[in-house]
Structure formats: structure tokens, C-alpha cells
Amino acid sequence: MDDKDIVALYLQKDESAIRESEVKYGRYLHTVAYNVLYDHEDAGECVNDTYMGAWKSIPPKVPSSLRAFLSRITRNLAINRYHAATAEKRSGRVDEVAEEFFECVPAGGMSVEDEVILRTVINGFLASLAPKMRILFMQRYYYMCSVKQIAKLNGMSESNVKVTLMRQRENFRKYLEKEGYTV
């Protein structure tokens, strides 16, 4: 079943939308959650919560990409679960990845309009990257894969991944500065 048909089921509040979403994206969403949590049970719960989140969000939202919509819900749920589980002991892998990324972007306190503009600038940066660099950047900073996972997935050494990501973060910082954002 294609995404438009699944979204139509959500719009009709037909429970088979959840089943079809699970068939088409269940493994993918589990991987997204697992990359944050490193726990299959918690990842499974996040995926189940994702379907409930989609059920509540559609309508009024009508996603143009169901895969991206569901993965964003899953990722946010997994990050929230991670932070709840590690509230006392900050220093985990997710915090490390977030720290790497946020050393490049401006600190909070932005208006909604500024956040939308920043999102557009980030998308522009991603579009400017060569496909392989974009994949590495997204694997690390969206899917929160470890350096070891990225190296394995892309046939690279871990040190090569680290250096490549460091260079991309520097390019990202320069791109943001060129667009008028300073850290």
C-alpha cells in the first residue's frame, strides 16, 4: 500500500492505517528508536507510541511524506524517553551527538519565524552536500548512529568518519555564518 492510501486511512480514522504503517515502516521506525535508546523493548514502545501519535495528528496534519512524518515522531519520542531515563546522569551518546551538532547552531531563544528560517537554512546546507556527505551527516545528527555504525554502513574507517564529520560540522558552521547565523 502506498503512503497516500495509508494517509487516507488515517484521515478516515480507519484502524487499518496503523496496521499498514507497521507493515511498511515498522522495522525502519524500530531502527530509528533503537539508534537512540539501544534497547529493543523501549524502541518497540516508542514505535507503538508513534502510531498513536500519528493517529492523533492526522488530521489536522496531512503529511506529504509519511515516512519522514513517522520517523520524526519516533525520533522525538525516543529522545524524550532517553532523557527521562538518563536525567540524573547526563553524558550519554545522545547528549554527545547533540552537543556536536548544537555547537554549530545558534542557542535557543529564537522566535518561531527564526526557527523556520533556520530550518530552511539547514535544509539548504544539506542540499549543498554531495550525496555521500549528506548521508553521513544525517546518519550522525538525525539518526544518531554511532561512529562505529556509520563506518560499518559506509565501508569507512572510524577515524575517517570522525574527520569527515568534523569537517562537515566546520562547513556547516561556515554556511550558517554566511547565512547570518553566529554561534
Side-chain angles (χ1 to χ4, degrees):
M1 182 173 277
D2 74 2
D3 287 0
K4 288 182 182 180
D5 294 333
I6 297 172
V7 170
L9 292 173
Y10 276 109
L11 290 169
Q12 297 166 8
K13 291 299 183 191
D14 184 332
E15 291 182 14
S16 64
I18 294 172
R19 192 171 39 260
E20 294 297 332
S21 297
E22 185 174 12
V23 167
K24 188 164 184 179
Y25 295 117
R27 289 186 63 177
Y28 167 72
L29 297 174
H30 186 87
T31 300
V32 169
Y34 184 80
N35 282 345
V36 174
L37 300 166
Y38 281 99
D39 183 285
H40 287 291
E41 187 175 320
D42 285 349
E45 289 179 21
C46 284
V47 172
N48 288 335
D49 291 346
T50 296
Y51 302 134
M52 183 56 68
W55 183 263
K56 290 178 180 177
S57 299
I58 305 171
K61 295 180 182 174
V62 181
S64 57
S65 169
L66 184 61
R67 181 178 195 247
F69 182 77
L70 294 174
S71 71
R72 184 173 182 175
I73 293 171
T74 303
R75 182 175 174 270
N76 289 341
L77 289 168
I79 289 170
N80 290 343
R81 183 176 288 255
Y82 171 84
H83 284 303
T86 60
E88 294 295 316
K89 47 185 177 184
R90 294 274 187 236
S91 72
R93 181 187 48 77
V94 172
D95 290 326
E96 173 190 325
V97 173
E99 200 171 291
E100 282 177 20
F101 183 76
F102 287 116
E103 69 185 27
C104 301
V105 296
M110 300 174 76
S111 69
V112 173
E113 294 83 12
D114 287 340
E115 287 182 13
V116 169
I117 293 168
L118 179 60
R119 183 179 307 134
T120 303
V121 170
I122 292 170
N123 287 336
F125 171 73
L126 291 171
S128 75
L129 294 176
K132 183 170 181 158
M133 293 301 118
R134 183 173 36 249
I135 288 168
L136 293 175
F137 198 86
M138 292 297 290
Q139 285 174 334
R140 181 65 172 167
Y141 301 113
Y142 184 81
Y143 295 108
M144 297 189 179
C145 294
S146 68
V147 169
K148 185 176 184 174
Q149 284 176 305
I150 295 169
K152 184 178 178 183
L153 288 168
N154 295 282
M156 300 169 68
S157 70
E158 289 182 40
S159 61
N160 192 356
V161 170
K162 288 178 186 177
V163 169
T164 301
L165 289 171
M166 181 188 69
R167 289 180 181 153
Q168 288 309 314
R169 282 193 312 274
E170 185 57 33
N171 290 340
F172 181 50
R173 185 177 300 123
K174 288 177 184 175
Y175 187 90
L176 287 172
E177 288 173 1
K178 185 182 98 185
E179 295 294 325
Y181 289 92
T182 55
V183 180

